[in-house]
Amino acid sequence: QVQLVESGGGLVQTGGSLRLSCALSGSLFSLFDMGWYRQAPGKERELVAQIFTGGSTNYADSMKGRFTINRDNAKNTVNLQMNALRPEDTAVYYCRATRFYGRRYEHWGQGTQVTVSS
């Protein structure tokens, strides 16, 4: 019943900004740890940023100082503000939701393309 839908991807020039959003449909959004991951062609999927139920955050080193993750529990959304974008940020960005309630629950969105041109 849980679905994640990403939006906000697109084409931007080097140094530009984009804001990605992920909407979760279903129950108990506030109990999910949320995260953004990305995958470039020919590369493994990698962590971008996480925000946990308690509000703490975690960022991959290359994103620190440029990207900001936040969540709006009232709207069941998690956002990723991306600034100072570089061509190496080009990838498909995926939203992820996880929680443990007797067993592990994991949900992924279908992704949104981000392309940063030189």
Side-chain angles (χ1 to χ4, degrees):
Q1 288 295 301
V2 173
Q3 292 182 309
L4 301 173
V5 180
E6 302 98 334
S7 62
L11 175 64
V12 65
Q13 293 182 330
T14 297
S17 298
L18 285 173
R19 185 173 187 264
L20 306 183
S21 295
C22 172
L24 182 148
S25 62
S27 301
L28 306 175
F29 174 81
S30 64
L31 299 183
F32 282 89
D33 294 327
M34 304 296 297
W36 286 96
Y37 296 74
R38 70 186 185 186
Q39 187 167 23
K43 297 186 179 295
E44 295 182 352
R45 189 170 298 187
E46 65 176 346
L47 169 70
V48 176
Q50 297 170 296
I51 184 164
F52 303 97
T53 56
S56 61
T57 58
N58 179 53
Y59 298 90
D61 287 343
S62 64
M63 271 65 80
K64 290 178 180 177
R66 300 190 300 126
F67 293 5
T68 302
I69 188 171
N70 61 47
R71 65 191 297 162
D72 186 340
N73 289 341
K75 294 184 176 181
N76 287 12
T77 59
V78 60
N79 307 298
L80 183 70
Q81 178 66 47
M82 305 186 294
N83 300 322
L85 285 164
R86 306 189 285 246
E88 51 264 44
D89 295 319
T90 296
V92 177
Y93 285 70
Y94 297 91
C95 181
R96 176 178 177 249
T98 60
R99 73 181 182 103
F100 189 88
Y101 187 72
R103 66 174 180 90
R104 184 178 181 228
Y105 295 82
E106 183 181 52
H107 308 277
W108 289 89
Q110 291 186 308
T112 184
Q113 177 71 47
V114 171
T115 303
V116 184
S117 63
S118 301

